């Protein structure tokens, strides 16, 4: 729980400032996500999958499909990490709801890993 610090809420940005603030928040999320081993493994696997598709001279549709599925995987990993951060704050000890929340987030990631692998296998086989 050492990561939690109460800070004053910043004023709400509007217009172009809102877009810049959103970009800053997204980059902050990416920095936080980059500390996760699973995210780094997924990046390596995604790069390897893309290299396989390029080596196999896959078509644009297959490459685009793989990139979209990979981005969905990264989005699920980000949401899973967000769930874990909130749950760890709410239940620093063991709690059934915490286990269930983490397991469900993990399942979402696993489903997208399976979808990525299935699509990669299909794209390489055709």
């Amino acid at each position: 729980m050492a990561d939690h610090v109460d800070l004053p809420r910043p004023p709400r940005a509007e217009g172009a400032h809102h877009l810049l603030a959103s970009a800053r928040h997204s980059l902050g999320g990416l920095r936080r996500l980059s500390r996760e081993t699973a995210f780094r493994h997924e990046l390596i696997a995604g790069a390897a999958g893309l290299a396989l598709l390029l080596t196999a001279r896959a078509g644009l549709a297959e490459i685009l499909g793989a990139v979209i599925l990979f981005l969905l995987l990264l989005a699920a990993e980000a949401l899973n990490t967000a769930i874990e951060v909130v749950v760890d704050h709410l239940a620093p000890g063991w709690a059934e709801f915490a286990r269930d929340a983490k397991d469900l987030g993990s399942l979402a990631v696993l489903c997208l890993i399976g979808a990525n692998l299935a699509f990669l296998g299909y794209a390489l086989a055709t």
Side-chain angles (χ1 to χ4, degrees), residues 2 5-6 10 14 21 30-31 47-48 55 70 86 92 99 103 114 118 122:
V5 176
D6 286 326
E14 295 182 9
L30 184 59
R31 277 192 301 275
T55 301
F70 179 69
V86 170
R99 182 204 61 211
D103 287 354
Y122 166 78

Side-chain angles (χ1 to χ4, degrees), residues 77-97:
E77 187 64 52
L79 292 172
N80 184 44
T81 299
I83 290 167
E84 290 177 355
V85 167
V86 170
V87 165
D88 288 345
H89 175 72
L90 294 175
W94 188 90
E96 187 174 354
F97 87 90

Side-chain angles (χ1 to χ4, degrees), residues 53 56-59 61-63 66 116-126:
L53 288 172
R57 299 191 189 278
E62 287 82 10
I63 292 171
N116 275 265
L117 290 173
F119 185 82
L120 183 61
Y122 166 78
L124 291 172
T126 57

Side-chain angles (χ1 to χ4, degrees), residues 29-52 66-67 69-75 77-78 109 113 116 120:
L30 184 59
R31 277 192 301 275
R32 171 59 183 87
L33 192 58
S34 70
R35 297 191 328 236
E36 295 293 318
T37 301
F39 173 74
R40 293 191 304 271
H41 289 165
E42 290 157 359
L43 280 179
I44 292 167
L50 182 58
L52 281 172
V67 168
L69 275 173
F70 179 69
L71 291 173
L72 288 171
L73 171 60
L74 295 185
E77 187 64 52
V109 171
I113 288 172
N116 275 265
L120 183 61

